[in-house]
């Protein structure tokens, strides 16, 4: 049993402790949304929001101390981002107008998005880049870095795909940005922000239960980075039945939280001692193991003085933060997506996305 478990750990958590670092830019352009910026771009490094710009402020703001230091050392970096923020918002506003004409949309709320960026493995040096576009919550077109061609999941994007596939200069630019320029930015940002971006913080883990008949939730909060996994196991073996895994959510302080629920309806009290919750954080050798023990479960069925305010407040704050991000449209559609740009605005019947080829934000 232990041998099998060791093999699984070696497969999923190699002894090299390889870590993938990512840099992503999320662009969101909206139409018909009142009292909200019609253009927003957010820069995210290792899933931590770092920079922000919108059509109201028009000046990029930074959210991390290390980013402020980088700008102090290199003022042109901020100037460059400012230019990109101003130029891109006008391009994307034109894009959404042409899409609305193309799809015969005159009213209602519409969201136009783009996500571009890369991942870099600090152990193997492997690089993965992505450029994706979406409209009204659905994929529109995406760049295939392996073939240097475009994937059009919707018929409306076929014209754009055919033209882009034949534009070698355009596709080579994407390849250079995704495999060269973006990884260089990742390494530079990691160098400046290593004290925070490369830090490791273990979570506090609690067992929560709404009522005696509800599933028991193993809740971990306050960990960093987000590369973590948590599961229930019985007698040393991971459980897949009667288990529900929650998503990793952000906390207000930049850390993360997650939970995994275990349905105990068919488990006898005598067997509780066989169960335990395991939390594993990437890059950390030792797991956090929490035994299933009724005496340590926090539940709503207690006096107010015993109510688990900390974990619940952390969960609420994390959900509110996630909701705020969703409102900006950053994570509006199913998979990773990007924004668009039309090349020929004079001919709305044949929509064509054009790119700002000198922008690392693209």
């Amino acid at each position: 049993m232990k041998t099998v478990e060791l093999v699984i750990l070696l497969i999923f958590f190699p002894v090299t402790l390889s870590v993938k670092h990512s840099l992503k830019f999320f662009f969101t352009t909206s139409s018909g949304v009142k009292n909200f910026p019609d253009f927003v771009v957010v820069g995210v490094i290792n899933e931590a929001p770092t920079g922000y710009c919108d059509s109201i402020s028009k000046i990029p703001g930074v959210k991390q101390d290390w980013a402020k230091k980088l700008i102090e050392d290199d003022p042109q970096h901020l100037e460059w981002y400012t230019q990109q923020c101003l130029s891109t918002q006008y391009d994307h506003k034109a894009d959404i107008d042409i899409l609305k004409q193309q799809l015969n949309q005159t009213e209602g709320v519409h969201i136009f998005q783009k996500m571009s960026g890369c991942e870099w493995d600090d152990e193997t040096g492997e690089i993965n880049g992505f450029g994706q576009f979406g409209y009204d919550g659905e994929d529109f077109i995406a760049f295939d870095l392996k073939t240097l061609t475009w994937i059009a999941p919707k018929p409306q994007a076929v014209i754009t795909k055919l033209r882009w596939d034949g534009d070698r200069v355009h596709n080579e630019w994407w390849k250079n940005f995704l495999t060269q320029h973006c990884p260089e930015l990742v390494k530079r940002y990691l160098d400046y922000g290593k004290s925070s971006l490369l830090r490791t913080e273990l979570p506090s883990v609690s067992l929560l239960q709404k009522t005696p008949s509800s599933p028991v939730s193993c809740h971990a909060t306050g960990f960093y980075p987000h590369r973590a996994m948590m599961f229930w196991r019985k007698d040393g073996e991971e459980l897949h039945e009667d288990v529900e895994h929650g998503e990793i959510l952000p906390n207000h302080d930049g850390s993360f939280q997650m939970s995994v629920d275990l349905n105990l309806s068919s488990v006898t009290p005598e067997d509780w001692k066989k169960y335990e919750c395991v939390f594993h954080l990437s890059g950390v050798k030792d797991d956090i193991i929490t035994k299933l023990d009724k005496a340590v479960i926090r539940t709503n069925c207690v006096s107010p003085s015993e109510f688990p305010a900390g974990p619940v407040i952390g969960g609420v704050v994390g959900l509110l933060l996630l909701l705020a991000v969703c409102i900006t449209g950053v994570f509006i559609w199913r998979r990773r997506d990007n924004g668009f740009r039309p090349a020929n605005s004079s001919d709305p019947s044949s929509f064509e996305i054009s790119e700002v080829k000198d922008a690392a934000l693209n």
Side-chain angles (χ1 to χ4, degrees):
M1 189 69 64
K2 291 184 177 180
T3 302
V4 174
E5 187 174 341
L6 177 60
V7 171
I8 294 175
L9 287 174
L10 289 175
I11 294 175
F12 289 98
F13 312 113
V15 293
T16 57
L17 300 181
S18 174
V19 174
K20 290 184 178 180
H21 303 283
S22 65
L23 174 63
K24 303 174 184 177
F25 295 102
F26 297 90
F27 299 79
T28 302
T29 303
S30 60
S31 175
V33 181
K34 297 181 179 180
N35 303 319
F36 196 79
D38 54 15
F39 173 81
V40 175
V41 56
V42 178
V44 179
I45 177 80
N46 281 3
E47 306 304 323
T50 303
Y52 172 90
C53 186
D54 61 44
S55 55
I56 296 178
S57 64
K58 299 182 180 180
I59 299 177
V62 294
K63 298 181 177 295
Q64 307 292 337
D65 291 338
W66 63 264
K68 297 177 182 178
K69 180 63 168 60
L70 186 155
I71 290 174
E72 291 176 359
D73 294 344
D74 185 6
Q76 291 184 349
H77 203 66
L78 177 61
E79 181 180 349
W80 177 77
Y81 271 111
T82 302
Q83 294 174 351
Q84 297 306 319
C85 179
L86 292 173
S87 62
T88 305
Q89 65 179 285
Y90 294 122
D91 294 330
H92 285 198
K93 288 178 183 178
D95 294 341
I96 198 170
D97 288 340
I98 291 182
L99 271 175
K100 289 167 61 178
Q101 295 178 41
Q102 172 74 12
L103 301 174
N104 295 320
Q105 298 169 336
T106 58
E107 299 179 352
V109 174
H110 302 284
I111 304 295
F112 172 79
Q113 295 173 281
K114 173 172 67 177
M115 184 188 77
S116 58
C118 60
E119 291 180 341
W120 169 65
D121 191 311
D122 65 4
E123 179 68 25
T124 66
E126 180 183 359
I127 295 172
N128 179 39
F130 34 84
Q132 299 170 297
F133 303 77
Y135 183 68
D136 280 353
E138 296 183 354
D139 295 338
F140 190 83
I141 195 168
F143 186 60
D144 187 335
L145 185 57
K146 294 181 179 179
T147 63
L148 301 187
T149 59
W150 293 85
I151 301 172
K154 297 183 70 66
Q156 294 89 335
V158 172
I159 295 177
T160 299
K161 168 188 164 49
L162 295 176
R163 293 182 180 177
W164 280 16
D165 284 349
D167 190 343
R168 294 184 179 181
V169 174
H170 178 246
N171 297 334
E172 285 294 334
W173 176 88
W174 266 101
K175 177 183 177 182
N176 180 71
F177 166 67
L178 297 178
T179 62
Q180 300 295 327
H181 189 49
C182 182
E184 289 173 0
L185 287 176
V186 172
K187 296 172 185 178
R188 186 180 185 189
Y189 293 163
L190 288 176
D191 184 53
Y192 266 87
K194 54 188 174 184
S195 61
S196 60
L197 296 176
L198 301 181
R199 74 185 190 277
T200 297
E201 294 181 3
L202 293 175
S204 61
V205 180
S206 305
L207 298 181
L208 310 176
Q209 189 177 35
K210 293 181 180 180
T211 68
S213 60
S214 301
V216 173
S217 177
C218 185
H219 182 263
T221 184
F223 61 88
Y224 190 92
H226 74 291
R227 294 176 290 275
M229 67 177 300
M230 189 161 61
F231 56 90
W232 282 98
R233 67 186 181 190
K234 177 184 178 183
D235 292 331
E237 293 188 7
E238 181 178 351
L239 294 174
H240 299 285
E241 297 183 358
D242 297 323
V243 173
E244 182 176 352
H245 294 269
E247 297 181 0
I248 296 180
L249 302 174
N251 288 323
H252 68 285
D253 60 357
S255 64
F256 298 90
Q257 62 171 293
M258 68 186 304
S259 62
V260 56
D261 296 345
L262 174 64
N263 189 338
L264 294 170
S265 59
S266 60
V267 179
T268 62
E270 294 77 17
D271 286 340
W272 274 42
K273 60 183 178 181
K274 300 179 181 179
Y275 292 82
E276 58 189 12
C277 173
V278 180
F279 175 88
H280 178 88
L281 185 64
S282 178
V284 176
K285 180 180 179 180
D286 297 325
D287 296 333
I288 297 178
I289 299 176
T290 306
K291 297 287 185 179
L292 180 59
D293 185 350
K294 185 172 295 187
V296 301
I297 294 178
R298 299 181 180 184
T299 176
N300 290 342
C301 300
V302 295
S303 63
S305 60
E306 297 176 299
F307 189 77
V312 174
I313 291 176
V316 172
V317 171
L319 290 174
L320 288 176
L321 178 58
L322 182 64
L323 178 60
V325 174
C326 289
I327 291 176
T328 65
V330 170
F331 301 112
I332 196 169
W333 80 89
R334 302 184 307 277
R335 301 186 295 278
R336 299 181 302 179
D337 309 295
N338 296 35
F340 316 72
R341 271 188 57 201
N344 187 0
S345 59
S346 62
D347 182 11
S349 64
S350 59
F351 176 71
E352 171 76 9
I353 301 173
S354 60
E355 290 301 317
V356 179
K357 295 185 174 64
D358 60 347
L361 287 177
N362 282 12

